[in-house]
């Protein structure tokens, strides 16, 4: 098994491409070892000292490390953990049902606008963000403000604010005049 790695815009995060399916659909975010109980893959990766976050996509694994740890020191152990997992035959997530990318907070009167926002996020934004090893989930629309949660490589990335404001906000405002602003939310 050959696992490729790619850098991301977030220097604390690397994207690992095992060359096979990781999740059947959606994504799964494990921002700490405490949250990885349902994922044998994430639990195994958190066993590597210095790992602070694991994010699973359909064909990639994004790993975030702490500032004190150098990639040269942890990358071989992470590669080994991913390899061991795939050789074990265990699922990436038990009872796999990754998040679909939306925490549904559909407002009744805003349902059409929310539908347009989700469509643009799914077709234009999420594929581009996945290229960088992350994901963005919709968390609500209220009085012209769109609330989004950034995951994987996007969480804590130095350029995430620029991505939100200059990229996503401009895109949504261009296509949906009711959108005034985009704000990040923590979950």
């Amino acid at each position: 098994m050959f696992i490729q790695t790619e850098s991301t815009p977030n220097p604390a995060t690397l994207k690992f491409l095992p060359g096979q399916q990781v999740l059947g659909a959606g994504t799964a975010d494990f921002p700490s070892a405490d949250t990885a109980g349902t994922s044998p893959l994430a639990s195994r990766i958190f066993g590597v000292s210095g790992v602070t976050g694991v994010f699973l996509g359909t064909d990639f694994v994004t790993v975030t490390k702490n500032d004190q740890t150098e990639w040269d020191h942890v990358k071989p152990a992470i590669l080994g953990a991913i390899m061991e997992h795939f050789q074990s035959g265990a699922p990436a997530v038990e009872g796999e049902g990754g998040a679909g990318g939306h925490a549904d907070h559909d407002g009744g009167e805003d349902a059409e606008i929310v539908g347009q926002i989700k469509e643009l996020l799914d077709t234009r934004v999420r594929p581009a963000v996945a290229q960088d090893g992350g994901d963005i989930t919709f968390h609500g629309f209220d009085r012209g403000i769109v609330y989004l949660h950034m995951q994987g490589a996007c969480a804590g990335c130095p350029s995430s604010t620029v991505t939100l404001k200059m990229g996503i906000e401009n895109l949504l405002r261009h296509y949906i005049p009711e959108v005034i602003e985009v704000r990040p939310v923590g979950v």
Side-chain angles (χ1 to χ4, degrees):
M1 172 179 218
F2 178 72
I3 302 171
Q4 291 182 298
T5 59
E6 291 180 0
S7 59
T8 71
N10 184 346
T13 304
L14 270 181
K15 182 177 173 182
F16 294 81
L17 299 145
Q20 56 187 286
Q21 184 176 332
V22 177
L23 288 180
T27 60
D29 189 26
F30 304 99
S32 69
D34 297 341
T35 62
T38 60
S39 174
L41 175 55
S43 295
R44 198 180 295 252
I45 295 169
F46 274 115
V48 176
S49 180
V51 171
T52 61
V54 176
F55 180 80
L56 308 177
T58 54
D59 65 348
F60 66 89
V61 177
T62 303
V63 179
T64 304
K65 65 166 187 67
N66 63 32
D67 292 337
Q68 296 77 36
T69 304
E70 295 296 325
W71 279 118
D72 291 342
H73 296 123
V74 295
K75 187 174 165 183
I78 294 169
L79 288 166
I82 294 170
M83 206 171 295
E84 285 173 15
H85 170 78
F86 281 103
Q87 290 171 344
S88 76
V93 176
E94 292 172 354
E96 185 185 319
H102 304 295
D104 284 317
H105 296 119
D106 294 340
E109 62 192 49
D110 293 329
E112 186 177 328
I113 295 168
V114 168
Q116 292 174 325
I117 292 168
K118 289 180 178 181
E119 175 70 18
L120 282 169
L121 290 174
D122 284 345
T123 59
R124 300 275 185 107
V125 177
R126 293 181 76 214
V129 171
Q131 289 289 83
D132 287 336
D135 197 12
I136 292 183
T137 56
F138 174 84
H139 276 268
F141 176 73
D142 184 33
R143 288 175 260 164
I145 300 171
V146 177
Y147 296 93
L148 302 174
H149 176 61
M150 302 184 92
Q151 300 174 312
C154 298
C157 175
S159 61
S160 65
T161 303
V162 174
T163 299
L164 270 181
K165 290 296 182 186
M166 303 307 280
I168 300 167
E169 184 177 289
N170 286 345
L171 174 80
L172 292 178
R173 288 174 66 189
H174 175 77
Y175 287 103
I176 306 168
E178 293 85 354
V179 172
I180 298 167
E181 182 183 359
V182 172
R183 291 186 187 164
V185 295
V187 175

